[in-house]
Amino acid sequence: MSLMPQYIILKHEASRFSLTKNKINDSKEFPSEASLDLLTTNDGCYDAHDIKILTKSGVNIFNVDRIIYGEDVFQKHKAAIIASEKLHEMYPERHHRPIGLAVIMTITELIDIDNRVDLIILKDVESLEGLLEFKKHYRNKKTAPIVPWIKTKNTIELNQIIKFSDGIVVDDSNTVEENCCKINLCKQYFKPVFYIIEGLIQGYRASPADERKIFAVANKIVKNDLDGVLLLDNYKEVREDVQTGVVKSLVLAIDVVEKTSNKDKHSYKLTLQLKIPMLPPKSVALAACLAAKQSGASAIIVFTSSGSSARLVASGAPPCHILAITTRKETARRLHLYRKVIPLFYNLSESNSLNWHQERWKRIQFCTTVALQIGICHYEANIVILAPSSEEVGYCNSLQIISMPLKCEELTF
């Protein structure tokens, strides 16, 4: 893999790509429980094959820091991602693997946002007024989800910013109590939280001490119910095999910690934060998580158009992975933001169903086939289905539990 020689991972520099939560090895693209988005940095320009290898290792979102780099670097990354997505024509895959593209911006410097951008990490956010002014500037243009890098310590202002954003980024510049306050507020609004860790990859030498450090980080991630990690390092002399090795070690460590963690504790903690009465989409999403827990389900299948249903299920402390099936590639890419969600793009143009009942079961068949292929389910496992009862319904209002195998297509490994 011919990566560029310079790697700069500093707190306020470099282009970023995100390393994901659920895909780490070559034999099975998703481990059974690993569930976290990982964000890291690289100022080199990848080609299509580099991106393909990185996605196989666990990369989902490539992120360019527009504070440091201009339009030319962004366009190079964008072109490489588009070319990488076309490689499946030469190397056929069972399902489309969406690759997200994100940018880091500062609220004090407005730039044109490309329609291909799937996530905006917005730095220097200090007030709700500033955030609303930023959104107002792009009101005539459909923008990606905005995740502020919040600086304010005012609880009232913080609450308002989180309410009008799509998640938050926290770092160690704040105290543990302040970060816990931000995380708890964000979870109340069912929104993702991303955390910053510095120096994890640069000093990694695969020693027992480094492995213990990896497990300490994984334990912190699972304990705080974080949805993503921003890895900041100096990559100038770090080989690509070390990068992928650290990523695989971290995701495997998260897998182990999640399997040994008390899932009942997470569910109980969530129920204490719930406010009654609750809107139907939220109540059905939480019911799906409870059904998965009580039935020992291996996965939850959720139909989603905008990604909202998958986000609500992901916020409900599910004990298993979420297979979010959508007919929109844009939604599939943005679903990487949410914990335990595996986005599946379903090509509606290839469907010849005569009615919604047939279409519904075709999509379920598609999901169960992929679940068997990637190894998150086994024969006779329980699956929770969350789907609309008809095409006219605007949210998932039906819940069902099935046992594998539902009629699955021929498996090819």
Side-chain angles (χ1 to χ4, degrees):
M1 187 166 65
S2 58
L3 295 176
M4 297 292 289
Q6 286 191 340
Y7 284 79
I8 304 176
I9 298 201
L10 303 175
K11 187 170 183 180
H12 302 293
E13 298 184 7
S15 63
R16 288 171 167 78
F17 61 86
S18 107
L19 308 174
T20 183
K21 54 195 177 220
N22 10 46
K23 316 159 191 116
I24 61 169
N25 55 48
D26 296 329
S27 59
K28 292 182 179 179
E29 296 174 359
F30 304 90
S32 59
E33 289 288 339
S35 58
L36 203 70
D37 284 326
L38 305 157
L39 304 172
T40 185
T41 72
N42 176 357
D43 69 339
C45 291
Y46 296 107
D47 61 26
H49 291 279
D50 294 333
I51 291 177
K52 193 69 174 180
I53 293 173
L54 288 168
T55 54
K56 287 293 186 181
S57 299
V59 178
N60 277 346
I61 306 173
F62 289 78
N63 189 349
V64 180
D65 191 338
R66 292 304 306 273
I67 302 174
I68 306 298
Y69 300 102
E71 183 69 16
D72 56 338
V73 174
F74 172 81
Q75 290 298 332
K76 287 179 181 178
H77 280 281
K78 176 184 172 182
I81 290 174
I82 294 174
S84 177
E85 290 179 329
K86 295 180 179 179
L87 287 178
H88 73 277
E89 298 174 2
M90 293 183 290
Y91 308 100
E93 294 178 336
R94 173 61 186 82
H95 65 285
H96 172 73
R97 296 172 61 93
I99 303 174
L101 178 60
V103 295
I104 294 180
M105 298 173 54
T106 175
I107 199 170
T108 60
E109 183 179 348
L110 302 177
I111 61 174
D112 291 334
I113 299 177
D114 193 281
N115 291 329
R116 183 57 176 76
V117 172
D118 303 302
L119 172 66
I120 298 173
I121 299 177
L122 190 60
K123 299 180 69 173
D124 305 320
V125 178
E126 298 181 352
S127 66
L128 174 62
E129 182 181 358
L131 178 62
L132 294 179
E133 283 294 324
F134 179 85
K135 288 189 171 185
K136 183 179 178 181
H137 180 78
Y138 298 101
R139 65 184 181 274
N140 295 326
K141 186 176 182 180
K142 187 177 180 180
T143 59
I146 298 174
V147 179
W149 198 324
I150 300 177
K151 296 298 182 182
T152 182
K153 297 181 180 180
N154 185 303
T155 304
I156 298 176
E157 194 74 34
L158 178 65
N159 183 71
Q160 293 299 316
I161 292 174
I162 292 175
K163 186 176 180 180
F164 286 90
S165 66
D166 299 290
I168 59 170
V169 174
V170 296
D171 57 25
D172 286 329
S173 64
N174 300 308
T175 65
V176 175
E177 291 77 13
E178 289 170 344
N179 280 337
C180 287
C181 177
K182 292 180 180 180
I183 293 171
N184 290 334
L185 284 173
C186 212
K187 293 301 181 180
Q188 289 179 17
Y189 290 107
F190 297 87
K191 295 180 179 179
V193 180
F194 299 93
Y195 194 72
I196 297 175
I197 299 176
E198 297 189 43
L200 184 65
I201 296 179
Q202 183 182 2
Y204 185 81
R205 296 294 182 272
S207 66
D210 289 331
E211 295 296 340
R212 289 194 298 271
K213 184 178 179 180
I214 292 287
F215 267 98
V217 171
N219 185 68
K220 187 175 184 178
I221 291 167
V222 175
K223 180 180 178 182
N224 291 284
D225 294 327
L226 301 176
D227 297 86
V229 175
L230 184 63
L231 300 178
L232 301 177
D233 289 88
N234 187 339
Y235 277 177
K236 189 173 183 179
E237 298 179 357
V238 179
R239 303 190 314 272
E240 63 264 23
D241 61 322
V242 175
Q243 299 174 44
T244 56
V246 173
V247 172
K248 292 179 180 181
S249 295
L250 180 56
V251 177
L252 283 173
I254 294 169
D255 185 24
V256 172
V257 174
E258 285 198 340
K259 286 181 178 178
T260 57
S261 65
N262 187 349
K263 294 183 176 63
D264 293 338
K265 181 180 178 181
H266 295 298
S267 300
Y268 179 71
K269 180 181 177 181
L270 177 67
T271 56
L272 294 178
Q273 300 174 351
L274 298 179
K275 297 180 180 180
I276 306 298
M278 188 182 301
L279 294 174
K282 291 184 179 180
S283 60
V284 175
L286 294 178
C289 295
L290 180 61
K293 178 177 175 295
Q294 295 296 331
S295 65
S298 298
I300 299 173
I301 295 176
V302 56
F303 289 33
T304 184
S305 178
S306 65
S308 296
S309 296
R311 175 176 64 86
L312 293 175
V313 177
S315 302
C320 56
H321 278 298
I322 303 163
L323 296 173
I325 182 169
T326 179
T327 58
R328 299 179 180 179
K329 288 186 177 181
E330 176 185 277
T331 298
R333 296 193 301 265
R334 296 178 181 181
L335 285 171
H336 288 308
L337 293 174
Y338 309 120
R339 190 178 184 184
K340 294 193 175 184
V341 174
I342 301 173
L344 299 178
F345 171 70
Y346 181 81
N347 194 344
L348 194 59
S349 63
E350 298 178 0
S351 175
N352 56 359
S353 301
L354 299 177
N355 53 55
W356 174 247
H357 180 76
Q358 290 182 357
E359 179 64 28
R360 181 175 181 270
W361 285 107
K362 272 195 173 183
R363 297 187 190 187
I364 293 174
Q365 176 186 339
F366 174 80
C367 290
T368 53
T369 302
V370 173
L372 286 172
Q373 284 186 329
I374 63 181
I376 65 171
C377 294
H378 55 82
Y379 290 105
E380 299 183 355
N382 288 333
I383 304 290
V384 175
I385 310 294
L386 196 59
S389 57
S390 66
E391 288 185 281
E392 294 77 19
V393 179
Y395 68 98
C396 296
N397 63 342
S398 67
L399 190 151
Q400 183 180 8
I401 301 176
I402 65 172
S403 295
M404 296 283 282
L406 181 69
K407 180 184 176 183
C408 295
E409 298 177 4
E410 183 179 357
L411 300 182
T412 55
F413 293 92

